[in-house]
Amino acid sequence: MDRTTWHDGQTPLNILVLGARLGGAVIPLVWSMLPHQGNCCTAARILLVARLLKVLPARRWAVVIADREFVGRAWCAFLRWKRIRQCIRLRKNTRIADELVRDLFTTLQPREVRTLFERTWVYGGWMHVVITLSPTGDRVIVASDLPVLDVLNTYRLRWAIESACSSLKSRGPNLEATHMTAPARISRLFGRLCIALAWMTRVGAQRTATHAPRLNNRGRAVVSVTRIGWQILTQAARWGGDDFWDCLRLLGMPFPTASTSVSRSVRC
């Protein structure tokens, strides 16, 4: 879950997005136009999740991953009520066990990972709390009801929804360039672009399944799955022929099964 925002002149545009990770990318499934700038309220998040639950039951949800904007007792209680696991970054001023989380493990070094010895009471429920320090010195505090060894690896997947939203804007079809401000029109256009994003990602996933992508020194793909699909799809649409029909058939086919990541050990 995340928000994507931009301005058209003096008009702020704000979309709350909930998506699923498929083929190495996040595909937005439901979204809501927010009538204001800034963070969304708990009710807006609950309504968005409820919309998706109508077509995708909770038993098929692996986990909800969200940034520190999406916290709160009522929100976490709702997810627990629906039996949806959560992996959420905490704000530094969050209080657990009568102590601010920013005061935990003050001697933490960059890239070092620590966790509390046992589950602790966070926003009305028992969750694991894992803390790490980024190379830039930013303290990342994540609470989750997942197994403790899976918490950080799961939270790292959150960047994919930010990448998906940017792929729909300046890095892709350039949603901002439409200069639309009517919420209903933007919502419809956003939906069409999400279909295009899913198509590009599916084509890219098919290619990377048979041709391993080139990796950089950190072991990350130089070109994303979505970008690979976009390159293939634009060429196929331009020249037509069998390549285009092959891409079109992929749009109706399921994504390959995601591989399971290896957990990383942490210290208490």
Side-chain angles (χ1 to χ4, degrees):
M1 176 175 281
D2 200 8
R3 288 185 305 110
T4 182
T5 64
W6 71 96
H7 281 75
D8 185 72
Q10 298 298 319
T11 305
L13 299 166
N14 200 0
I15 306 179
L16 178 63
V17 182
L18 180 61
R21 191 169 186 269
L22 297 168
V26 168
I27 309 300
L29 299 180
V30 289
W31 54 90
S32 175
M33 297 294 303
L34 300 177
H36 54 76
Q37 299 185 65
N39 298 352
C40 64
C41 63
T42 300
R45 301 175 223 155
I46 291 176
L47 287 174
L48 196 66
V49 171
R51 282 174 52 194
L52 188 55
L53 284 173
K54 292 180 180 179
V55 294
L56 191 66
R59 66 177 181 273
R60 299 185 61 186
W61 293 44
V63 61
V64 168
I65 308 172
D67 201 11
R68 51 197 158 186
E69 170 187 339
F70 305 98
V71 295
R73 181 180 292 270
W75 166 241
C76 293
F78 170 77
L79 294 178
R80 280 191 290 269
W81 175 50
K82 292 297 183 179
R83 297 185 178 181
I84 299 173
R85 294 190 292 182
Q86 51 196 299
C87 187
I88 300 175
R89 184 175 178 181
L90 300 180
R91 296 170 180 165
K92 294 180 181 179
N93 61 353
T94 303
R95 186 175 292 276
I96 58 175
D98 297 326
E99 188 175 7
L100 295 176
V101 292
R102 66 187 176 200
D103 296 330
L104 298 173
F105 305 118
T106 55
T107 60
L108 198 66
Q109 299 299 313
R111 299 184 184 275
E112 193 175 17
V113 181
R114 297 287 185 88
T115 181
L116 298 181
F117 183 73
E118 56 186 11
R119 290 176 183 254
T120 189
W121 192 256
V122 182
Y123 291 124
W126 296 102
M127 291 196 281
H128 288 296
V129 175
V130 180
I131 305 175
T132 187
L133 204 64
S134 71
T136 59
D138 187 23
R139 183 176 288 263
V140 180
I141 309 162
V142 183
S144 177
D145 42 20
L146 294 172
V148 65
L149 295 179
D150 296 332
V151 173
L152 274 187
N153 283 338
T154 300
Y155 182 75
R156 289 189 181 101
L157 301 177
R158 198 195 68 83
W159 68 270
I161 192 168
E162 293 186 0
S163 179
C165 291
S166 63
S167 296
L168 296 175
K169 296 194 294 184
S170 57
R171 289 177 51 202
N174 206 359
L175 178 61
E176 308 101 315
T178 62
H179 300 295
M180 290 183 180
T181 57
R185 290 187 175 183
I186 295 175
S187 182
R188 288 194 295 268
L189 178 60
F190 189 81
R192 287 169 172 79
L193 293 180
C194 288
I195 295 174
L197 178 66
W199 193 6
M200 291 186 292
T201 304
R202 182 62 186 90
V203 172
Q206 185 71 15
R207 172 57 63 91
T208 56
T210 56
H211 299 77
R214 187 162 58 92
L215 305 179
N216 60 18
N217 295 334
R218 296 184 177 182
R220 299 176 181 175
V222 175
V223 182
S224 69
V225 172
T226 302
R227 174 66 66 172
I228 292 173
W230 175 78
Q231 293 171 348
I232 296 172
L233 195 54
T234 51
Q235 291 297 316
R238 180 179 181 182
W239 301 110
D242 293 339
D243 289 344
F244 176 77
W245 294 109
D246 290 341
C247 291
L248 188 60
R249 280 190 290 270
L250 286 174
L251 185 58
M253 297 175 62
F255 280 83
T257 304
S259 60
T260 303
S261 60
V262 179
S263 298
R264 178 183 175 185
S265 61
V266 297
R267 293 173 56 190
C268 297

